[in-house]
Structures are given as structure tokens and as C-alpha cells.
Amino acid sequence: ACALFSGRALLSRRSEQRLDTERELRAALQNRLVLLLFAERRCPRCRGFEPRLRRFCRRLTDPAHVERPEPLRLVYVGRDRCEQDYLEYLRDMPRSWLALPYGDEFGRELEQRFGVQELPWLVVLAPSGAVLVPNAVPEIRDLGTSCFQNWREAAELLDWNFQERQEFQGAPGRSLTEPLRRLKYRVWDEEQGEGERETE
């Protein structure tokens, strides 16, 4: 997800800090599940959903609520019609949330890329940038924080698969499952005349 914002800038609460270097963006987003919130301050549905979303994030990331905060970061992609509404949202949003600057055309690109159809819309991204949930608004409304475990497990599976592809890309496999078999079994090189496979 960090690569998605490469070369871009993000704002922290009250515009106190502008994250626009690769190092700052990596520190804020790397190895985290990233939530992209498409919303508008004056949208009635957005105002109705936001308290639930704030509780969701607080229960997962606030040390006052959990012993080990979850690796989660929210980025607000505001669709506000005027800058004043946007700035008011920035002043009120939780300190750990980030926001795309007002009027940044990248927000429109993100809308198209992730197929945003209505507001609010919440895209869940794995640390690798893969889409875990195209729109998590219904999940958070219906399941609360229990849906986060599903997201984390899916992200770990996706990232693990990616690591395995990287590890074995130098030696083309005979099948799609060969990297899995090589993890569980000792595979002897047939060219060396072994031709045997035994459980580790």
C-alpha cells in the first residue's frame, strides 16, 4: 500500500505535518493494513457511519483499549465540495488518521481504480497493496472489529504467497503447487539421480 502513494503527499491531523518523502510515507504505511475512506463531511450517510468507524479504529489501535495495537492506518480521500468542509474534517479526525490533500486529482484516480460507487466507501488494502475488501462499510456495520481478523489472515496469506513466488522465481516450478511442496518436503533434484522425496 505504501507504493500506492509513492511521490504523493499525505496530511496528518490539523495539517500539522505533511508527509511527502518516501521515508515518511514508509514509516506511516509500511507493513500496515490501509483503509481508504472515500467520504464527504456533509454527506448524511457518511456522518452516520463515521462514529462506528472511529470506534472500530479506536478499539483496534488505541493502547487504552488493546494491549497490542493492530497495524492499521486510515487515509481519508475527501470528496468535500469546499475546502472549508475539508479543513474542518481534518481538525476533527483522529490523530492517527491521514488525509489526501484537498483538491488532489489523485483522489479521482483512486475513485476510478477502486470502483467507488457511493459514499461512504471504504477500501481495505493489504501491506502489499492488494485489495482485501472492495468496500468494507457493510462488514464494519454488521460485524464490528471481528472482521479485522479475517482481513489480517487474508493479508498474511497474500504476502506469504508473494514471498514464495519471489523465493522460487529463479527455478521455474513444474506446477503451481511446487513451492508449497518444497516447503513441506525435501525434494531431491532428479537431474542428480536422486528422484526421491521424503517428509522433513
Side-chain angles (χ1 to χ4, degrees):
C2 185
L4 182 65
F5 293 97
S6 179
R8 304 286 174 177
L10 293 174
L11 301 177
S12 67
R13 180 179 167 187
R14 300 177 185 168
S15 300
E16 291 173 351
Q17 183 181 6
R18 185 181 179 93
L19 309 179
D20 54 9
T21 68
E22 294 300 317
R23 183 176 59 82
E24 290 172 329
L25 290 171
R26 278 199 305 271
L29 301 175
Q30 196 168 34
N31 296 323
R32 295 176 184 269
L33 294 185
V34 174
L35 309 182
L36 299 181
L37 173 63
F38 297 85
E40 179 184 342
R41 182 175 178 82
R42 293 185 181 271
C43 165
R45 289 193 306 272
C46 298
R47 290 201 305 269
F49 175 66
E50 187 178 336
R52 189 167 297 185
L53 178 61
R54 287 181 181 236
R55 285 194 302 272
F56 175 87
C57 292
R58 187 169 59 248
R59 289 173 181 170
L60 291 170
T61 62
D62 189 340
H65 290 269
V66 289
E67 185 175 340
R68 293 183 59 189
E70 297 289 356
L72 183 70
R73 181 74 72 191
L74 186 141
V75 177
Y76 175 65
V77 185
R79 307 320 303 148
D80 300 286
R81 299 176 187 178
C82 70
E83 189 171 9
Q84 184 60 36
D85 287 344
Y86 170 83
L87 293 175
E88 287 179 7
Y89 190 93
L90 242 64
R91 283 194 293 269
D92 294 340
M93 75 181 189
R95 188 172 296 276
S96 63
W97 292 13
L98 300 173
L100 202 63
Y102 178 77
D104 192 326
E105 287 302 313
F106 187 52
R108 295 292 181 189
E109 292 181 32
L110 292 175
E111 272 191 16
Q112 294 177 358
R113 179 181 301 189
F114 297 113
V116 175
Q117 300 173 14
E118 61 183 13
L119 300 180
W121 193 271
L122 189 70
V123 180
V124 182
L125 301 178
S128 63
V131 176
L132 296 177
V133 186
N135 181 20
V137 171
E139 286 192 25
I140 291 177
R141 280 178 177 156
D142 298 340
L143 303 175
T145 55
S146 61
C147 63
F148 181 81
Q149 181 64 25
N150 296 334
W151 302 349
R152 185 169 59 181
E153 290 175 359
E156 289 171 354
L157 181 62
L158 284 170
D159 288 350
W160 181 79
N161 284 340
F162 174 77
Q163 291 169 2
E164 294 309 313
R165 287 198 299 272
Q166 293 293 98
E167 180 179 346
F168 293 106
Q169 68 180 2
R174 288 181 290 274
S175 73
L176 293 175
T177 59
E178 183 178 9
L180 298 177
R181 293 200 312 271
R182 291 182 64 173
L183 286 177
K184 292 184 176 181
Y185 302 98
R186 181 178 301 137
V187 180
W188 298 97
D189 190 341
E190 294 179 357
E191 294 180 359
Q192 295 177 354
E194 300 292 346
E196 294 181 2
R197 185 173 60 199
E198 63 184 30
T199 305
E200 288 186 337

